[in-house]
Amino acid sequence: MEARISAQHWRRYVSVVLIFSAALNTAYAVTHYSIPEEMEESSVVANLAADLGLDVKTLSRRKMRLDIISSKKYLDVNKETGELYIVEKMDREYLCPAKTSCFLKMEAIIENPQRIFYIEIEIMDINDNAPHFRRDTINLDISEATQGGERFSVNNAVDPDVGSNSVKTYLLSENEHFTIEIQTGRDGSKFADLILKRVLDREQQAVHNLILTAVDGGVPARSGTASIVVRVLDTNDNAPKFDKDNYKIDIMENSPIGSLVVKLNATDLDEGTNSEIVYSYSLYTSEKTQQTFHLNPNNGEITVKEMINYEDFRIYDMEVIATDKGSNSLTGQCKLTILVTDMNDNHPEISIKSFQSPVKEVIAVDTVIAVVSVSDKDSGDNGIVDIRIADTLPFALRESSDNYYELVVSQPLDREKVPEYEITFTVTDRGSPPLSDNETMTLELLDVNDNVPQFPQSFYTIPVMENNAPGALLSSLTAFDPDLHENQYLVYFIIEKEIVNTSMSMLFSINPENGNLYALKTFDYEIEKEFLFHIEARDSGVPPLSSNVTVHIIIVDQNDNTPVIVSPWRAHGSVVEEKIPRSTDKGSLVSKVIAIDTDSVQNSRITYQFLQVTDATLFSLDQYNGEIRTMRMFSYRDPRHQRLVVIAKDNGDPALSATVTIKLSTVETAVKAYSDMTEVPLEYDIFSDLNLYLVIGLGSVSFLLLITILVTCVLKCQKPMPSKAAPPSRNSVISERNSTIADSTLVSNDAYWYSLFLAETRKGKLVVRQPVPKAGSRYIVSSLPRSTGLTETSDSAASTLQVRINS
């Protein structure tokens, strides 16, 4: 629609021009057309044939053509219609650069007849070009010190169009610092000046970007833009400034040398050398601080220069100055406070303020024996110190004041159990990781006489072989006292005790220093069998303590006594003669050998054997009770006289023995036979039930035997018939103390001899004791044979065995 309106517009325009040209051709003979530039191809400019008065039908025949002078062929004639049309678009700015008017001249030639028509085409300008600047970007350098009102020239815009289509005005983007002023040149061109209306500050805005727009006068108007970059040139008008005025920095002690503490950053809003900064310490910074920390002057890094110890310096204060490199240098400063953070690098320490050693073992509980103090150079938890000792010690720690502790006795002490204590104080701080230290003290305990001497046993039984040598060592009775020194030195005593008017100190002696017990005399088991007394051990403490022990001396029997044959009785070693009837039955008791041995136990156990026997098949000997019995009846072949030698041997080592020779004669006449001789064992005149039965039985048998003998004697013999045979008798030896009678063998364990009276009565046996005044004397045994006959009465028949003692 717009194209149609434009074509109609140009068509009217061309018509007007042609009418005007026709009027001119009357004088100049030139056909003039005016057309706008940039018409589309094939657009009809005018009907040339009609304007030239030519017949359209003859144009082809007359070969009508257009010749363009000094130009490119932009137009042509349609020979069919005679219209002049556009062959190629025409750009006025190309065809007529830098000209205000533009004409295209050509000739129209026809033949038959030949004619030449002059045609002039005026190319009219249209607003088809926008203004443009020779440079898209206009750079301006303006010092920030430039005063307001300063004028700056900028490149003007150009527009190929002419007339009203050329640049008409300039516009500047909105800003606070600049404005423009439009100027008109002599050729009518328009240009703009940039004016500074407000002082620039590079530090606020270093670059100002402006847009300059050139607008032409065409309809519609066209415009072109250019960027104006205003760079504000720096002047040293700003001092360096740190990020902070005050810095507070924590640093760990013992930080490695060279480690970074802080990097200071000072900025200068200026640029170039005006913004280049050098860092330095101010005069207010101490030499110690400057020695500890290094300041890099170029980049502001502060590093560790020397080892940092919290315990020496905890706070470092410094002031750092930043100076720019401008012609007139400006400076800025900041203050730094470096706080050293404690590191647990110090071991806790313990100091012994007082210590009491040695102390007595009876020291009271809660007594203070030491005062210690603890310390740690670190701070916070690193400097809090805990102290302890082993839980097994009988001591406790008690805090008395800040970091002071008392070591007190918590339990009773006993030097004999623990003579000294190694007390180790261990101190540990609460750092992470914790550090610790220890200190050891030796507490020595002084001995107190608080322990009585102690014997290993409370009762000593010491066997002593009889016949010992006087002064013989019996035993060593050593006591132990766990105390020390004089409290440990023991003295031994025998506690006096009299036995039969004899003092123990006369029988025994003890070494007071070592407790060796000695015998002062020779002991005889047959006289003294045991001793019971006490030995005391006393220490040398003040006051002295003592204890005693019971000593039981047992005299051990030695086989030093030979058995003594007391039955059958014989005088001074003569042969014992016995008579038995030849009609004696088998198993009849012929005789009985009784021996005694004053030794004890095994040494007094006697056995009997035949040493010699005329006929071994005729008699037997009981080895335990000494009874000689017939093994068979006598025959006529047996000799009348039989000789028996009996040995009585004890059980000692070596064995001791005694012998007796018995001469037996057989007779044809009746002889009173022996009754069995049995013994009733007595112990301290007290009969056991078995012994009582034996006594009653033997008594009854003996009584009946006596009645029988008496009746026989009365009937057959009117006068006494002495018998050499020993009457039935019972010999018994009873000791004052322990007497033992076994198997018809008498064993005496006492040191006394007795006269033994054996009387056979209806009621039993009567035992009469008679102590012999002196012991150890040689003895003689004599026997008074019992007389038998009609004069004997039934209630009085006795046989007495008497032991005489010869000094």
Side-chain angles (χ1 to χ4, degrees), residues 553-574:
I553 303 293
I554 298 177
I555 307 301
V556 179
D557 181 42
Q558 195 175 36
N559 195 23
D560 58 344
N561 291 285
T562 302
V564 176
I565 297 176
V566 297
S567 177
W569 180 84
R570 57 183 178 161
H572 304 292
S574 60

Side-chain angles (χ1 to χ4, degrees), residues 514-533:
N514 56 24
N516 288 343
L517 183 64
Y518 299 92
L520 297 182
K521 60 168 287 186
T522 299
F523 297 105
D524 188 350
Y525 171 82
E526 288 69 34
I527 299 176
E528 300 145 330
K529 291 182 173 53
E530 63 181 11
F531 300 94
L532 194 66
F533 57 92

Side-chain angles (χ1 to χ4, degrees), residues 98-118:
K99 292 181 180 179
T100 57
S101 60
C102 181
F103 294 94
L104 182 65
K105 295 179 180 181
M106 62 187 66
E107 293 177 351
I109 300 173
I110 58 175
E111 295 180 357
N112 299 320
Q114 184 174 2
R115 289 185 65 181
I116 298 175
F117 297 95
Y118 295 98

Side-chain angles (χ1 to χ4, degrees), residues 730-749:
R730 173 175 173 81
N731 301 329
S732 177
V733 179
I734 307 300
S735 63
E736 179 186 12
R737 285 185 290 180
N738 302 325
S739 299
T740 303
I741 300 175
D743 300 328
S744 302
T745 302
L746 179 62
V747 179
S748 175
N749 294 329

Side-chain angles (χ1 to χ4, degrees), residues 568-571 573-578 591 660-664:
W569 180 84
R570 57 183 178 161
S574 60
V575 177
V576 177
E577 293 184 359
E578 299 284 354
S591 181
V660 62
T661 300
I662 302 175
K663 184 179 179 182
L664 292 178

Side-chain angles (χ1 to χ4, degrees), residues 425-673:
F425 295 93
T426 301
V427 288
T428 306
D429 61 27
R430 298 183 184 178
S432 180
L435 299 179
S436 62
D437 197 2
N438 59 70
E439 183 77 20
T440 300
M441 302 187 309
T442 301
L443 177 64
E444 181 182 354
L445 300 183
L446 293 177
D447 183 49
V448 175
N449 192 25
D450 58 345
N451 289 278
V452 298
Q454 298 175 358
F455 287 93
Q457 302 172 214
S458 61
F459 188 89
Y460 285 86
T461 300
I462 303 173
V464 178
M465 189 67 70
E466 67 172 330
N467 301 318
N468 60 288
L473 176 64
L474 303 183
S475 181
S476 181
L477 307 177
T478 304
F480 171 73
D481 193 326
D483 294 325
L484 289 178
H485 308 307
E486 65 275 2
N487 298 329
Q488 188 185 37
Y489 299 146
L490 302 181
V491 180
Y492 299 90
F493 304 94
I494 295 177
I495 299 177
E496 289 295 337
K497 177 181 180 183
E498 289 189 358
I499 301 178
V500 192
N501 298 324
T502 300
S503 173
M504 280 297 166
S505 60
M506 297 176 63
L507 302 177
F508 302 98
S509 173
I510 189 167
N511 189 320
E513 294 182 357
N514 56 24
N516 288 343
L517 183 64
Y518 299 92
L520 297 182
K521 60 168 287 186
T522 299
F523 297 105
D524 188 350
Y525 171 82
E526 288 69 34
I527 299 176
E528 300 145 330
K529 291 182 173 53
E530 63 181 11
F531 300 94
L532 194 66
F533 57 92
H534 299 283
I535 290 179
E536 177 180 304
R538 182 184 304 162
D539 61 27
S540 302
V542 179
L545 300 177
S546 64
S547 64
N548 59 67
V549 65
T550 301
V551 178
H552 185 200
I553 303 293
I554 298 177
I555 307 301
V556 179
D557 181 42
Q558 195 175 36
N559 195 23
D560 58 344
N561 291 285
T562 302
V564 176
I565 297 176
V566 297
S567 177
W569 180 84
R570 57 183 178 161
H572 304 292
S574 60
V575 177
V576 177
E577 293 184 359
E578 299 284 354
K579 292 181 180 183
I580 61 173
R582 287 184 69 87
S583 60
T584 302
D585 294 332
K586 176 185 176 181
S588 298
L589 179 64
V590 176
S591 181
K592 183 172 183 177
V593 178
I594 299 176
I596 62 172
D597 192 326
T598 55
D599 293 325
S600 66
V601 194
Q602 297 297 328
N603 295 330
S604 66
R605 189 179 298 277
I606 297 176
T607 58
Y608 303 91
Q609 294 176 354
F610 281 130
L611 193 59
Q612 292 179 5
V613 61
T614 302
D615 188 351
T617 65
L618 186 56
F619 301 101
S620 65
L621 174 62
D622 191 310
Q623 64 174 341
Y624 297 112
N625 58 21
E627 292 182 349
I628 302 174
R629 294 181 181 272
T630 58
M631 296 175 63
R632 60 180 174 81
M633 294 185 65
F634 288 96
S635 67
Y636 65 94
R637 294 187 185 90
D638 294 326
R640 182 179 179 185
H641 300 285
Q642 299 286 335
R643 188 173 184 271
L644 305 177
V645 179
V646 179
I647 182 171
K649 183 168 56 176
D650 62 22
N651 200 33
D653 185 18
L656 300 179
S657 63
T659 61
V660 62
T661 300
I662 302 175
K663 184 179 179 182
L664 292 178
S665 300
T666 59
V667 294
E668 296 296 338
T669 56
V671 180
K672 190 190 305 181

